[in-house]
Amino acid sequence: MARKKEALEFRYYEIPYGEPLLALYGDAWAHPYGYDDHDCSVLDLHFHNLMEIGCCHAGTGLLTLKDTSYKYANGTISVIPKNYPHTTTGDNPTGNHWEYLFIDVEKSIRTLYPTDDTQAELLLSRINKNAFFTTTMESPELSALIQAILREMSMRREMYADSVNGLLRSLFIEIARRQPAPVEDTAPQSTDSLQITRALEYVGDHFWAPLRVEDLASLCNMSETNFRRVFIKCMKIAPIDYINQVRVHAACERLRTSDDPIAEIAQKCGFSSIATFNRNFRRYAGTTPKEWRKSPDTEHYDNH
C-alpha cells in the first residue's frame, strides 16, 4: 500500500572538496526507488540543493516532476534544477538502476565564464528554467556527455577534473538548448512557489549563518505574515522548521564524511547550542547524532 508524506523533503548533497561535481555511480545505485523497508511505495516529493542529472540503466517506473508523472525505462535521462520537487518510483522494488550527477550549476558556470557575466547569466537563466526528461534515443549528444562525465569520475585518470570541466561546458550548452529562449517584455510568473524561490536558495546557501524569517520575507519582497502563509502553503512546513531540516541534513553529510566533533558540526551547520542541535536532529533523523554517525541511515537520505 502506498503512503504519502505531508511535506516536501529536502535532501542535501555536498560536492567533495576539489571535485568538479558529485557523481553517484556503480552497483550501489541499483536498489529500490520509491519504496520503504516494507516494500511499500512512497509517493513523497523531494528536492535538492544541487542540480540532479539522472540516467536510468535498468528498470521501469514513474518519474514525477512536480505534478506530472512520466514513464521511465532503460535509457531515460532526467535533468532537474535545484529546489525542484520530484521523485522516482519503480514499478517494483527490484531491478532498478540509476546513476546520478549532482552539480553546483552557478559555481561551475561562474568558473567557466569568469569574465563573461552576460553569457553566464544567459546560461543560468536557461538551465534553471525547468526540469525535463528525455531518452538516449531522443538526445544522443546529451547522453554521450553524461556518460563521458561518469566515466571520467569513475576512472579518475590523470587530469580527470580538467576533462570533466571541459565536458561540463558542453553539457550546460546542450541543456540550455533544450529550454525555450527568453522572450523580451514577458511578465514574470507569479505562482506561490516562485514567490519563495529566493528564500529557498538563500537558506540552501547560508544555512550555517543566523537566519530570521523576517529577513527571508524581505528577500522575497513580502510581508512576514504573507511570507509565512505562502511558505506553509507551498512547503507544508513552517519556515523555521524548514531551516532546521536543511541544517540537519547538512549535519548528516558532515557526520558521514568527517571526523569533526559533534559540537563543532552543530555550530558549522547553524545551531546555536548542542541541545538545540540534538533536539532537531532527533526530530528529523529519528536518532541522535552519535548513533547516526556509528550507523548512518544513508538510504533514508540518498534513496531516490
Side-chain angles (χ1 to χ4, degrees):
M1 179 180 297
R3 61 183 175 85
K4 186 170 184 178
K5 292 183 180 179
E6 294 297 323
L8 286 170
E9 182 183 1
F10 174 81
R11 298 183 183 176
Y12 178 86
Y13 286 89
E14 188 168 19
I15 298 174
Y17 178 77
E19 295 281 89
L21 50 78
L22 173 64
L24 306 181
Y25 52 83
D27 293 341
W29 299 95
H31 61 69
Y33 284 83
Y35 288 84
D36 62 16
D37 294 338
H38 304 288
D39 290 343
C40 294
S41 61
V42 181
L43 305 179
D44 58 299
L45 300 176
H46 65 271
F47 58 99
H48 303 289
N49 58 310
L50 302 172
M51 169 174 275
E52 174 196 297
I53 297 178
C55 184
C56 179
H57 299 301
T60 59
L62 291 179
L63 171 66
T64 302
L65 304 175
K66 288 188 175 177
D67 298 324
T68 305
S69 295
Y70 306 87
K71 193 72 177 177
Y72 75 77
N74 182 11
T76 293
I77 296 170
S78 60
V79 178
I80 305 172
K82 69 177 183 179
N83 295 327
Y84 196 103
H86 65 284
T87 194
T88 306
T89 306
D91 284 333
N92 56 70
T94 61
N96 284 267
H97 184 194
W98 285 74
E99 291 185 323
Y100 295 95
L101 301 175
F102 286 92
I103 306 169
D104 186 334
V105 173
E106 181 162 0
K107 182 178 179 180
S108 295
I109 287 180
R110 298 294 183 193
T111 300
L112 293 170
Y113 297 92
T115 61
D116 192 345
D117 288 342
T118 301
Q119 180 66 7
E121 290 297 336
L122 175 62
L123 278 174
L124 284 169
S125 65
R126 295 279 287 275
I127 290 170
N128 290 325
K129 191 174 185 63
N130 204 1
F132 68 87
F133 123 114
T134 183
T135 67
T136 55
M137 293 283 289
E138 295 171 345
S139 307
E141 298 89 352
L142 182 64
S143 175
L145 288 166
I146 294 170
Q147 294 307 317
I149 292 173
L150 283 166
R151 282 196 301 272
E152 288 287 359
M153 293 300 295
S154 62
M155 296 176 68
R156 296 178 179 270
R157 297 175 295 178
E158 184 180 10
M159 295 183 286
Y160 75 92
D162 291 335
S163 175
V164 169
N165 282 325
L167 291 165
L168 276 176
R169 185 190 295 266
S170 297
L171 180 67
F172 290 147
I173 291 172
E174 199 61 39
I175 293 173
R177 286 171 173 168
R178 298 277 315 201
Q179 305 285 17
V183 180
E184 294 183 2
D185 299 323
T186 298
Q189 300 180 47
S190 59
T191 62
D192 288 340
S193 59
L194 287 179
Q195 284 184 278
I196 63 170
T197 295
R198 289 193 66 188
L200 295 176
E201 293 179 347
Y202 191 85
V203 172
D205 292 337
H206 300 86
F207 61 84
W208 46 268
L211 295 173
R212 299 189 307 171
V213 175
E214 61 185 280
D215 293 332
L216 297 178
S218 180
L219 274 175
C220 299
N221 297 314
M222 302 168 69
S223 69
E224 184 176 348
T225 300
N226 191 38
F227 175 77
R228 288 180 185 275
R229 179 188 62 79
V230 172
F231 197 99
I232 292 172
K233 177 182 176 182
C234 294
M235 306 302 293
K236 310 296 189 245
I237 189 173
I240 190 62
D241 293 330
Y242 171 79
I243 292 169
N244 286 328
Q245 186 182 72
V246 171
R247 287 169 170 167
V248 167
H249 279 264
C252 286
E253 186 68 19
R254 283 162 170 74
L255 287 167
R256 182 174 60 181
T257 58
S258 79
D259 295 323
D260 294 341
I262 290 176
E264 182 178 329
I265 289 175
Q267 183 179 26
K268 287 181 177 179
C269 291
F271 289 99
S272 57
S273 70
I274 190 66
T276 302
F277 174 58
N278 287 335
R279 182 174 65 254
N280 280 282
F281 196 96
R282 181 177 286 279
R283 178 182 180 186
Y284 294 111
T287 186
T288 67
K290 184 177 180 180
E291 291 169 343
W292 199 93
R293 170 174 262 173
K294 288 181 178 179
S295 181
D297 184 9
T298 53
E299 182 177 350
H300 173 76
Y301 294 103
D302 296 342
N303 184 8
H304 284 66

